[in-house]
Amino acid sequence: MSLKAPAGTQDILPDDVSIWRYVEETARRVFQDYGYREIRTPIFEEGGLFNRSIGEATDIVEKEMYGLTTKSGPTSFILRPELTASVVRAYLEHNLHKDKKFQKLYYLGPLFRHERPQKGRTRQFHQLGVEALGSYDPLVDVEIMGLALAFFNQLGIKGSELKINSIGCPKCRDAYRTALKEELGKVKSDLCEKCRERFDRNVFRILDCKNRQCCVTTKCAPSVKEYLCADCTEHFAVVESTLKENNIKYIFDQHLVRGFDYYTKTVFEITHDSLGSQNALCGGGRYDNLVAELGGPAMGATGFAIGTERTILALMASQAYQPENVTIKVFVVAVDEQTRSDCFSFVRELREQDIPADMDYEGKSLKAQMRLADRLKAKYVVVLGPQEIKQGIVRIKDMADGQEKELKRLEVIKYFKSKG
Ligand code: HAM
């Protein structure tokens, strides 16, 4: 039997880890610069949390969640398919709102959705996200859009596009739903099978369908802007004017809807052309009713999540990442079998002084050890033989220019430290 990682999951091998760390470290730095603090929540949660927040009639809840079974049978636990609900749950459970109502939180970690795997879409994937809980201020919507764009900019990803819309509050949505059904009802037979099904369950999702025929058919759909109440209109006007005042480029996309029921008012996505059909790098928006729906006080909230895998694809397409050269500084070569234990102690001595060092553990010949030092891109090779040990000296070869020198063993640490 050949052992393989499950379909839709990915091993991140040592050569690829450096780009992951670069993306994650940049996210932490930029998020923290904007005043967001990290929160970590469990990988699995009570399933009810997602049914109540994401919504029963969404693709995720209907068919994409992984439930957990133990030896004694099925549990009520679900592998988290997203993190907004978990963050709100933790915020309420630990009374963070009583300490300080307005909290700016960020997270990174894996999520699980049982989707059909394709480029940019996996079953285990990772997100970098922020949630700003406790404010209705439209300026926070703009802060987080600016934050996501600043992050892509810092990474060197060029050509990303911010698309925004408002989906209003439940009041405006009722009116919009009726209008949408009326217009799309006239062309229902031209929609794909999935969308014909969605018509009664969740008509908004039809606007999000990627099927070419549906994209053409839904052009006739009215814009939600015409159905926004005064409060939602005012909120969106401030978002748009603030984006303009701050020279943040955006496209108003009247058909932008999101796959979760918790959104209200502003929604947005950041896309990148290099990604093909799964072109969303980031998705987010305001969710002013979720905290109360999960048992907390009424309060505004907004946030986004960025897909880490897709960010890495876009970063590679932008050719902006220079792979980190992980090198060791000193490779210690044993001249014969007897000196190996001295070499081992010497390597330990170097490492204790924070000097990256290594040696051979495969019984290689002298020549093969030199070749290994070369392959590991060691800056220096130290040769230890019975003579050197007896005399308390070491022979050092600088691999950049081939120059050799002899030093007293006691001087070696100081020498390597001075070499940067
Ligand atoms: P989402 O749009 O489902 O939103 O996911 C955000 C991002 O995660 C997507 O734009 C995409 O880059 C990435 N992503 C989603 N699914 C997959 C997948 N199967 N494979 C690879 N990448 C994927 C949310 O999750 C919301 N919780 C965002 C949010 C936070 N809204 C408010 N606060």
Side-chain angles (χ1 to χ4, degrees), residues 60 81-85 107 113 115 120-127 129-131 258 260 262-263 269-270 280-287 302-310:
I60 294 183
E82 64 113 42
L83 264 151
T84 309
Y107 50 80
R113 294 183 194 170
E115 295 187 90
R121 190 167 71 190
T122 47
R123 291 177 172 167
Q124 175 177 327
F125 61 98
H126 298 74
Q127 285 184 345
V130 305
E131 310 295 346
R258 306 258 312 127
F260 304 85
Y262 53 61
Y263 288 115
E269 279 186 0
I270 298 175
L281 279 176
C282 169
R286 184 158 275 287
Y287 48 95
T302 185
F304 69 68
I306 290 169
T308 315
E309 284 81 354
R310 292 186 196 176

Side-chain angles (χ1 to χ4, degrees), residues 154-349:
Q154 287 266 317
L155 286 177
I157 293 176
K158 292 181 193 84
S160 58
E161 261 181 1
L162 169 66
K163 294 178 181 152
I164 70 165
N165 192 14
S166 171
I167 56 162
C169 60
K171 228 172 29 187
C172 341
R173 247 193 331 269
D174 281 348
Y176 185 48
R177 186 181 295 109
T178 309
L180 253 189
K181 281 197 159 177
E182 201 177 311
E183 278 314 307
L184 293 181
K186 294 178 194 160
V187 290
K188 193 173 167 189
S189 57
D190 295 337
L191 297 170
C192 72
E193 201 188 317
K194 252 189 176 170
C195 284
R196 287 201 300 271
E197 247 177 67
R198 284 173 179 147
F199 188 85
D200 290 317
R201 256 186 326 116
N202 194 344
V203 69
F204 304 114
R205 299 293 302 164
I206 296 177
L207 299 178
D208 197 27
C209 182
K210 300 281 183 292
N211 177 298
R212 212 172 285 164
Q213 176 61 33
C214 288
C215 290
V216 177
T217 309
T218 53
K219 284 219 164 93
C220 69
S223 164
V224 65
K225 255 189 174 173
E226 298 157 38
Y227 297 87
L228 295 182
C229 66
D231 180 38
C232 292
T233 303
E234 167 65 14
H235 186 99
F236 198 56
V238 177
V239 169
E240 287 204 85
S241 62
T242 311
L243 284 167
K244 283 180 191 142
E245 278 157 27
N246 288 278
N247 296 319
I248 301 175
K249 286 204 182 79
Y250 71 93
I251 297 165
F252 167 64
D253 179 348
Q254 61 173 4
H255 289 167
L256 177 68
V257 287
R258 306 258 312 127
F260 304 85
D261 282 358
Y262 53 61
Y263 288 115
T264 54
K265 296 186 173 163
T266 319
V267 288
F268 65 96
E269 279 186 0
I270 298 175
T271 57
H272 197 267
D273 270 353
S274 67
L275 297 175
S277 67
Q278 301 302 312
N279 67 351
L281 279 176
C282 169
R286 184 158 275 287
Y287 48 95
D288 288 342
N289 298 328
L290 184 60
V291 179
E293 274 161 14
L294 293 182
M299 67 170 71
T302 185
F304 69 68
I306 290 169
T308 315
E309 284 81 354
R310 292 186 196 176
T311 300
I312 289 172
L313 289 173
L315 181 56
M316 292 195 306
S318 301
Q319 296 186 330
Y321 176 69
Q322 290 297 328
E324 188 184 285
N325 250 340
V326 183
T327 55
I328 57 154
K329 192 160 180 179
V330 183
F331 191 85
V332 181
V333 168
V335 167
D336 56 26
E337 188 55 35
Q338 284 70 45
T339 48
R340 292 190 76 238
S341 64
D342 280 284
C343 285
F344 185 78
S345 306
F346 185 53
V347 166
R348 273 176 56 83
E349 228 176 276

